[in-house]
Amino acid sequence: MGQKINPIGFRIGSFKPWKSRWFADDQKYKDFLFEDIKIREAFFKKLKLAGINSVEIERLTKSMVITITVSRPGVVIGRGGTGIEDLKKFIISILSDIRKKKIKDLKIDLKVNEIKNPELSAYLVAVRIAADLERRMPQRRVISKTMERVMASGPKGIKIVLSGRIGGAEISRVEKYHTGSVSTQTLRENIDYAQVPALLKKGYVGVKVWISKVKEEE
């Protein structure tokens, strides 16, 4: 079971919290869900240099709380907090375009959290691997250096899977790399998971990363 389902979705509700926290009726549910998807897509593009890892959205009656987790919070906050105000205007513009009307009475509270150790973020590790593969670096060297760097940060284990026309091969294949302990079938294990596509000359190569953290890590 642990290999057939998203490890984060598998643990939501019992070990991990929801990334979107709000209630809505049948008419507003699809609208709120679409807005959350668009906000996340826009943030991951705009804050790529800040090392963005996740976006959590909470909705109240006339307010919205958005928590951004990044590895470089100074890039997001800016001088004197100007970056926060710019992001609030950016969110309002996204919602205005979606709803096709000017939004005036919505209060937005933007929080920025710092990742204590970027090497324990599966998404950031997967993005780095994809960037190295796109620069045509040998995949085995990239994976071995990545696993050494991640294991030096103290997790229980890491698993990396590459799939596609690896190295420009004519036939697609799957390569699996593993070190340490990654118990995907144990619900109480704190496992971070991410998948990122790498666009190479011969086509896309999928990068999947599992990192099993110790209980004290967030």
Side-chain angles (χ1 to χ4, degrees), residues 3 18 33 72 74 77 94 124 130 136 152 159 192 206:
Q3 297 179 0
W18 282 265
L33 178 61
R72 294 185 289 274
I77 298 173
I94 294 174
L124 296 181
R136 300 183 182 181
K159 181 171 70 173
D192 193 12

Side-chain angles (χ1 to χ4, degrees), residues 20 32 46 53 56 71 97 134 159 182 210:
S20 293
F32 286 173
K46 187 177 182 66
N53 180 64
E56 297 182 9
S71 60
D97 292 340
E134 290 174 352
K159 181 171 70 173
V182 183
W210 292 257

Side-chain angles (χ1 to χ4, degrees), residues 116-156:
K116 296 179 180 179
N117 193 344
E119 297 298 338
L120 295 180
S121 169
Y123 178 77
L124 296 181
V125 171
V127 168
R128 188 184 299 116
I129 293 174
D132 291 340
L133 294 178
E134 290 174 352
R135 289 198 294 267
R136 300 183 182 181
M137 295 179 64
Q139 74 274 8
R140 297 192 179 184
R141 183 189 304 172
V142 171
I143 298 301
S144 63
K145 288 184 177 181
T146 299
M147 290 196 300
E148 289 177 4
R149 189 166 53 245
V150 171
M151 291 303 294
S153 299
K156 291 182 178 179

Side-chain angles (χ1 to χ4, degrees), residues 51-160:
I52 185 170
N53 180 64
S54 65
V55 178
E56 297 182 9
I57 301 175
E58 297 181 43
R59 293 177 185 264
L60 300 175
T61 306
K62 292 186 178 180
S63 64
M64 180 183 296
V65 180
I66 299 179
T67 305
I68 306 172
T69 306
V70 295
S71 60
R72 294 185 289 274
V75 178
V76 180
I77 298 173
R79 292 185 179 180
T82 56
I84 298 293
E85 298 301 323
D86 293 340
L87 284 178
K88 289 182 180 179
K89 295 178 183 178
F90 181 64
I91 296 169
I92 292 294
S93 64
I94 294 174
L95 296 177
S96 299
D97 292 340
I98 295 174
R99 299 180 185 181
K100 296 181 180 180
K101 64 179 181 179
K102 196 170 183 179
I103 299 175
K104 298 180 180 179
D105 57 348
L106 180 64
K107 180 183 177 182
I108 295 179
D109 185 12
L110 194 61
K111 299 179 181 179
V112 181
N113 293 337
E114 181 181 4
I115 301 176
K116 296 179 180 179
N117 193 344
E119 297 298 338
L120 295 180
S121 169
Y123 178 77
L124 296 181
V125 171
V127 168
R128 188 184 299 116
I129 293 174
D132 291 340
L133 294 178
E134 290 174 352
R135 289 198 294 267
R136 300 183 182 181
M137 295 179 64
Q139 74 274 8
R140 297 192 179 184
R141 183 189 304 172
V142 171
I143 298 301
S144 63
K145 288 184 177 181
T146 299
M147 290 196 300
E148 289 177 4
R149 189 166 53 245
V150 171
M151 291 303 294
S153 299
K156 291 182 178 179
I158 179 174
K159 181 171 70 173
I160 301 174

